């Protein structure tokens, strides 16, 4: 292969590359002129730092930046509702008056809340608004989480806009404002705000000394709602001689006149509201009455004590020498100004008042929009409008995009968009990629809508791509290139739980595999390099960036690397390093090229030794053993999607007797095994999984165990930190004999030369039906690797997952499902019970006897069975070996082959109960199953109401659906459950007769959503500890205690179900729903016509209190019942088991994910644990193993306990050279 050219660094971004699926053909865009390159950076903006922008992900860069800002046009909309105008209000001299208590000029000025207060007619209120250039900020009332802009920088410029401020031209195109909510106390200003407490928002321009203060709306005397009601009333009921608008003006003028007469003419007479003159002027209605009440004119009866009555409005006192008069006077003056301002603005409308001549007002209101927009830099003369192409003007998909960039679409120009983007990146570097994403969205939208993209924006996109800016689509594509994602090679999502080391290793492995296709290797590796850098920057990972920088290499091919150093490909590393040193010493001018060649070889060979040499200049020695303690367990390298298999093989290695048994038979000559002849009688004397085995299966199993023994040997003696299993070993573990035979049938032939007619007939005995279906509901269309599934369903699933065999109730549900079809209606209850017992005990119905009591137990154990022969569908599986299986099938297959390989055909006949097999002796116990009626009524209706059977078991199963359960709770449901069988409800009771040395408990996390008809993985936390006591589940347990415990357990289950219904059931949680409804009805203001129903609100709050009380009671009751339950068994501790292994599945889907496991360091150091994560093995604390996994997708799916006092586990089994020296 020819050497590829060395790419520039950083790699220029090609807009037509495959990064991100934007569906935009960049080749159709106007030509990207080289003459324009760099023009985008000529946008007037200061404060940018090239180094900081390239290291935007560095927290040190974030620390001093003020965060996102806005440009002046968007700030103008944030100051006050853009649809509402603000007015500057002034009062003019009133006609002279000689009456007492006439308002003074100072009082009139004080009627306006503040010199910087602007009137809003739509709110009938005021907004405090002040903009000012000053090097001194107003006093702040609190500290903020984001820092203020650099004050030294701000002081250097008076204003970003305006003539004469910057003698050498503007450094910035416009202001860049930053908002700090409720930052300034208005009462501390000069002049102060004196109408009560008022906190102001502070806007600071980060580029100059200008700042702006603004308040929320300060309510006027007459509430907005009342103003609107009064106005609508007049519009809908106009006077006969006036237009509707004239009627409105006349009504408000009447109110204004009443206030004016009281203040300037000292009018103290009452205003009878029923007289024709008053009614013709203003009318009388609830809104009118409320308006007068608000301004201090109460309604009184002038004819008190007489038969007739006359209602009249009483003027309030205005004598400033009294507190009441002073307060009323201030209120009336404020109302007089506001009503006058309202009328001034209202009369500006061009709509006709007809022949009506409005009164002359002493209050003037002029629009302040131009003034404050010019003050903050948002005026049309400062930032032009209307440059955005029309198709984009109302393009709603970009509404959020404009806001994120801090601008408005109406003020768009290419230069302003570039300024907004750079300003946001400068002030908020942590979100640089967010801003680039939105900039990119605008440009792409222009292209999609057929608009010409300005050359400035074309150049900007190209330049930013060259600086490695990316979008979420790019990030997704980068993760996909490295193999992450549901359909990726790694079968795990890239999230924050993924460690940097794992990502780096995935990158290295992908780069290695790229050389498998020499013609496309350089392109593939370049994309991988880009992907790693992108992910490293997104995560802000210095470690990944260092890996990228140190190892990204160039386009040099492996052939060129070996040729450059003049060494053969099979050269050993010691000689390679020697030759390298000689070449560098002889040709120092070629040192960089030599180093590059060595780097390529290090990558191709995946040599940690060469990497260490390149990084430090020191040769660490012949192996990487120096970084791994001799007594540390060795990891297993992945061969593909084999992380579950790696965990399983590591688990087998920790089991002392199993390891010894495998190694003991591994010395046999494979060729001799192939020549061994077994008679039919020999084969018929031994059964595995309840059936005879074939010669083919025996030879296959022997080969598997030999390869497993070789792996175990390497795990004991190898000094490398990780071993790579043989491909053939993985194939034999992951592919069953049945799969091979079916594949051969598919190829029109099978090799059965080693099988006799007798053995082949017995090989076709039906397998247990329940072993090939998932837990309830059993016919889920979604496959799961965390649990059993129907082999006829879609099998395109990850092998590396946990097994989750159905619990007794779910097995009975399976039988119920099968018997509900028309072909089963004639089956009687006895046959149903027989099938259910057989199914739950791994015994096929075809082998069960007619007696449902199942007295003959010679065929009771059926473990571990091979998968049944069933028609299979082809799939698009990405597994490396044909179709995929779930993890329990993988485990069954391994254990089947180990047991088969260990058969002694020269010895006596064996049965499934025979404990001479290490598999049976270590993993299998015996359980008793009972089907009983729920009530005496059932006993009378059905004969033989109690059915009992003993059977072997290798796993116990805990259904994981809800939070708040511990391991004892889950097991209790397994050992005592209610099932429905043929329309009859039965109790399924299970007890343990004999316990195995190793107790395997599978946490069944595959659940089914009946609404979506989809399987999902339950992430619920199941609490477990280092020790579990199985006494309560033994058949020999105290009957009185069991009876009492059963009663309490029933109460506990009912209480928990009640809590679940109240908090997580349909329409739950009820308490918060009732509270939110009551709060909404009490406080809602959106629906004016909806008046609150106090009786309904009171009823809702009572219901809320009742539900809350019930919930608290049930929760307290569950705690109390749980304590009672544990109190019963507190002294029963003879059947004690210690936790030894925890298998973990990480991922949100039951169909794929990543797998690793923890193993306790037994027997030497039980307080320490090892974490086996493929090639990485690390020591961890027990706190990590026992941690609460709530909120995490990494959850236990199988727990293994060892019988206390049983010497079955030896976690660390490593060769000790000192033992030879001592000898």
């Amino acid at each position: 292969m020819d050497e590829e050219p060395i790419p520039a660094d950083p790699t220029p971004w090609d807009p037509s590359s495959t990064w991100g699926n934007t569906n935009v053909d960049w080749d159709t865009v106007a030509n990207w002129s080289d003459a324009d390159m760099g023009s985008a950076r000529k946008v007037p903006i200061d404060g940018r730092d090239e180094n900081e922008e390239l290291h935007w992900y560095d927290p040190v860069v974030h620390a001093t930046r003020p965060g996102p800002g806005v440009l002046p046009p968007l700030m103008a909309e944030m100051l006050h509702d853009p649809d509402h105008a603000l007015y500057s209000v002034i009062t003019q001299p009133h006609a002279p008056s000689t009456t007492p208590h006439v308002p003074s000029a100072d009082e009139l000025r004080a009627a306006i809340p503040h010199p910087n207060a602007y009137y809003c007619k739509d709110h009938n209120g005021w907004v405090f608004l002040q903009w000012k250039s000053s090097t001194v900020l107003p006093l702040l009332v609190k500290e903020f989480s984001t820092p203020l802009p650099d004050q030294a920088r701000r002081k250097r410029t008076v204003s970003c806009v305006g003539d004469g401020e910057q003698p050498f031209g503007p450094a910035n195109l416009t202001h860049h404002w930053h908002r700090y909510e409720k930052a300034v106390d208005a009462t501390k200003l000069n002049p102060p705000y004196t109408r009560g407490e008022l906190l102001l928002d502070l806007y600071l321009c980060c580029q100059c000394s200008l700042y702006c203060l603004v308040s929320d709306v300060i309510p006027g005397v007459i509430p907005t709602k009342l103003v609107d009601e009064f106005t609508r009333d007049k519009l809908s009921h106009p006077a006969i001689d006036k237009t509707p608008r004239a009627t409105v003006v006349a009504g408000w003028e009447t109110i204004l006149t009443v206030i004016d007469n009281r203040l300037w003419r000292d009018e103290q007479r009452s205003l009878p509201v029923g007289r024709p003159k008053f009614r013709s002027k203003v009318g009388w209605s609830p809104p009118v009455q409320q308006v007068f009440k608000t301004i201090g004119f109460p309604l009184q009866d002038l004819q008190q004590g007489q038969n007739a009555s006359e209602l009249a409005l009483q003027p309030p006192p205005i004598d400033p020498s009294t507190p009441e008069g002073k307060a009323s006077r201030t209120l009336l003056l404020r109302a007089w100004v506001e009503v006058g301002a309202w009328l001034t603005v209202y009369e500006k409308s061009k709509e006709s008042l007809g022949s009506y001549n409005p009164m002359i007002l002493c209050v003037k209101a002029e629009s302040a929009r131009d003034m404050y927009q010019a003050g903050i830099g948002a005026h049309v003369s400062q930032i032009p409008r209307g440059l955005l192409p029309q198709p984009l003007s109302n393009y709603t998909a970009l509404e959020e995009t404009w806001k994120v960039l801090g601008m408005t679409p109406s003020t768009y120009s290419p230069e302003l968009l570039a300024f907004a983007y750079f300003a946001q990146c400068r002030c908020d570097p942590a979100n640089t990629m967010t801003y680039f994403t939105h900039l990119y969205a605008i440009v792409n939208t222009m292209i999609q809508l057929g608009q010409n993209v300005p050359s400035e924006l074309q150049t900007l996109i190209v330049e930013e791509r060259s600086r490695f800016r990316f979008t979420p689509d790019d990030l997704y594509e980068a993760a996909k290139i490295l193999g992450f994602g549901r359909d990726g090679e790694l079968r795990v999502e890239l999230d924050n739980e993924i460690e940097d080391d794992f990502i780096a290793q995935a990158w290295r492995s992908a780069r290695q595999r790229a050389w498998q296709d020499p013609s496309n290797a350089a392109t593939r590796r370049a994309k991988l390099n880009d992907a790693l850098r992108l992910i490293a920057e997104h995560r802000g990972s210095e470690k990944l960036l260092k890996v990228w920088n140190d190892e990204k290499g160039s386009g040099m091919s492996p052939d060129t690397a070996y040729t450059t150093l003049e060494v053969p490909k099979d050269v050993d590393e010691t000689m390679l390093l020697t030759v390298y040193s000689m070449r560098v010493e002889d040709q120092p001018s070629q040192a960089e090229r030599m180093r590059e060649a060595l780097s390529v070889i290090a990558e191709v060979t995946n040599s940690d030794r060469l990497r260490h040499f390149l990084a430090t200049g020191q040769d660490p020695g012949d192996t990487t053993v120096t970084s791994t303690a001799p007594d540390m367990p060795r990891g297993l390298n992945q061969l593909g999607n084999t992380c579950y298999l790696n965990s399983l093989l590591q688990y087998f290695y920790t089991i002392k007797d199993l390891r010894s048994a495998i190694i003991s038979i591994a010395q046999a000559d494979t060729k001799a095994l192939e020549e061994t002849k077994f008679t039919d009688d020999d084969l018929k004397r031994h059964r595995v999984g309840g059936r005879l085995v074939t010669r083919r299966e025996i030879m296959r199993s022997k080969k598997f165990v030999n390869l497993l023994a070789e792996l175990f040997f390497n795990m004991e003696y190898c000094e490398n930190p990780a071993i790579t299993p043989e491909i053939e070993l993985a194939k034999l573990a992951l592919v069953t004999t049945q799969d091979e035979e079916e594949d051969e049938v598919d190829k029109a032939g099978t090799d059965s030369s080693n099988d006799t007619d007798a053995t082949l007939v017995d090989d076709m005995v039906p397998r247990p039906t329940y072993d090939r279906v998932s837990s309830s509901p059993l016919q889920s269309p979604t496959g799961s690797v965390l649990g059993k599934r129907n082999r006829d369903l879609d099998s395109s699933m990850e092998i590396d997952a946990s097994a989750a065999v159905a619990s007794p109730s779910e097995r009975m549900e399976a039988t119920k499902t099968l018997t509900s079809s028309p072909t089963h209606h004639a089956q009687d209850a006895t046959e149903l019970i027989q099938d259910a017992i057989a199914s739950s005990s791994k015994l096929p119905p075809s082998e069960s006897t007619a007696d449902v009591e199942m007295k003959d137990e010679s065929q009771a154990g059926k473990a571990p069975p091979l998968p049944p022969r069933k028609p299979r569908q082809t799939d698009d599986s990405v597994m490396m070996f044909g179709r995929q299986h779930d993890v329990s099938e993988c485990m069954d297959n391994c254990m089947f082959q180990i047991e088969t390989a260990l058969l002694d055909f020269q010895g006596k006949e064996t049965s499934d109960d025979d404990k001479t097999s290490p598999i049976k002796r270590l993993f299998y116990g015996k359980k008793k199953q009972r089907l009983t009626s729920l009530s005496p009524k059932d006993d009378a209706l059905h004969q033989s109401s109690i059915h009992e059977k003993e059977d072997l078991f290798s796993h116990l199963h805990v259904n994981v659906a809800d939070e708040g359960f511990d391991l004892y709770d889950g097991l209790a449901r397994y050992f005592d459950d209610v099932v429905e069988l043929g329309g009859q409800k039965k109790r399924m009771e299970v007890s343990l007769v004999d316990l195995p040395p190793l107790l395997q408990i599978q946490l069944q996390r595959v659940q089914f959503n009946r609404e979506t008809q989809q399987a999902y993985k339950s992430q619920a936390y199941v609490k477990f500890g280092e020790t579990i006591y199985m006494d309560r589940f033994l058949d020999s347990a105290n009957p009185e205690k069991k009876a009492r415990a059963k009663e309490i357990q029933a109460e506990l289950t009912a209480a928990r179900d009640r809590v679940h219904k109240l908090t997580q059931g349909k329409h739950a949680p009820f308490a918060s729903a009732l509270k939110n409804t009551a709060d909404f009805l009490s406080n809602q203001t959106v629906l004016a016509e909806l008046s609150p129903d106090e009786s309904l609100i009171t009823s809702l709050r009572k219901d809320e209190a009742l539900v809350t009380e019930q919930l608290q009671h049930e929760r307290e009751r569950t705690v109390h019942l749980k304590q009672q339950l544990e109190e019963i068994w507190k002294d029963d501790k003879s059947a004690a088991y210690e936790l030894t292994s925890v298998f973990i599945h990480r991922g949100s889907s039951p169909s794929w994910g990543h797998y690793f496991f923890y193993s306790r360091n037994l027997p030497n150091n039980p307080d320490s644990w090892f974490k086996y994560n493929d090639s990485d093995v690390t020591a961890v604390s027990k706190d990590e193993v026992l941690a609460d996994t709530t909120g995490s997708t990494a959850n236990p799916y199988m727990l293994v306990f060892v019988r206390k006092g049983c010497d079955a586990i030896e976690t660390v089994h490593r060769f000790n050279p000192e033992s030879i020296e001592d000898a």
Side-chain angles (χ1 to χ4, degrees), residues 71 73-75 77 385 402-403 406-412 416:
L71 302 191
L74 182 57
M75 176 187 168
E77 295 185 359
R385 268 66 164 176
W402 296 110
K403 291 180 181 178
M407 59 184 300
T408 60
S410 63
T411 57
Y412 157 84
L416 191 66

Side-chain angles (χ1 to χ4, degrees), residues 818-837:
L818 295 174
T819 58
S820 64
S821 63
T823 58
H824 291 80
H825 283 324
Q827 190 174 22
D828 60 26
T830 300
E831 291 171 329
L832 292 175
I833 293 169
Q834 175 182 339
D835 288 347
I837 289 286

Side-chain angles (χ1 to χ4, degrees), residues 423-478:
Q424 293 291 58
C425 294
R426 175 194 63 196
C427 294
D428 186 24
N431 289 306
T432 293
M433 295 309 137
T434 300
Y435 300 126
F436 178 75
T437 298
H438 288 286
L439 171 69
Y440 198 71
I442 293 173
V443 175
N444 273 340
T445 303
M446 289 181 178
I447 298 171
Q448 291 167 355
L449 298 180
Q451 303 300 306
N452 290 326
V453 180
S455 60
E456 301 98 311
L457 295 183
Q458 297 178 20
T459 302
L460 177 59
I461 293 294
V462 171
E463 289 179 350
E464 290 303 283
R465 283 297 201 190
S466 72
R467 299 201 303 160
F468 227 84
R469 301 302 189 233
F470 57 84
T471 68
D473 286 338
D474 301 332
L475 182 62
Y476 172 80
E477 187 68 19

Side-chain angles (χ1 to χ4, degrees), residues 701-774:
S701 299
K702 294 284 187 182
K703 187 175 183 180
F704 171 75
V705 169
N706 270 278
L707 291 170
L708 184 58
E710 182 180 341
L711 177 67
F712 284 0
F713 177 87
N714 288 330
M715 293 170 72
E716 179 178 357
Y717 289 97
C718 184
E719 295 183 354
N720 292 328
I723 299 105
T724 302
E726 293 287 342
I727 294 288
E728 186 67 16
L729 173 64
K731 180 178 180 180
L732 291 170
L734 300 173
V735 180
T736 67
T737 307
Q738 172 195 348
D739 297 331
E740 288 183 347
E741 292 173 354
E742 290 176 356
D743 288 339
E744 290 173 0
V745 170
D746 291 341
K747 296 175 183 176
T750 180
D751 180 13
S752 57
S753 58
N754 289 331
D755 300 327
T756 66
D757 292 341
T759 58
L760 289 176
V761 169
D762 271 292
D763 193 27
M764 293 305 292
V765 172
R767 307 296 199 278
T769 57
Y770 88 91
D771 268 342
R772 296 296 159 245
V773 293
S774 63

Side-chain angles (χ1 to χ4, degrees), residues 872-889:
R872 65 182 173 90
Q873 300 172 343
T874 59
D875 58 37
D876 298 324
S877 169
V878 297
M879 274 301 296
M880 60 190 300
F881 306 119
R883 87 200 78 157
Q884 300 186 27
H885 294 285
D886 65 37
V887 294
S888 80
E889 288 174 323

Side-chain angles (χ1 to χ4, degrees), residues 251-295:
W252 282 114
E253 285 180 348
T254 301
I255 295 172
L256 185 63
T257 301
V258 171
I259 298 173
D260 193 284
N261 289 341
R262 183 69 188 97
L263 289 171
W264 274 272
R265 299 183 182 182
D266 197 22
E267 181 62 69
Q268 300 183 27
R269 292 176 295 175
S270 299
L271 292 173
V273 299
R275 296 181 183 178
K277 186 176 182 180
F278 183 89
R279 288 184 177 267
S280 65
K281 292 271 189 187
V282 72
W284 188 248
S285 63
V288 175
Q289 180 181 351
Q290 193 63 32
V291 166
F292 278 104
K293 181 179 179 182
T294 301
I295 62 176

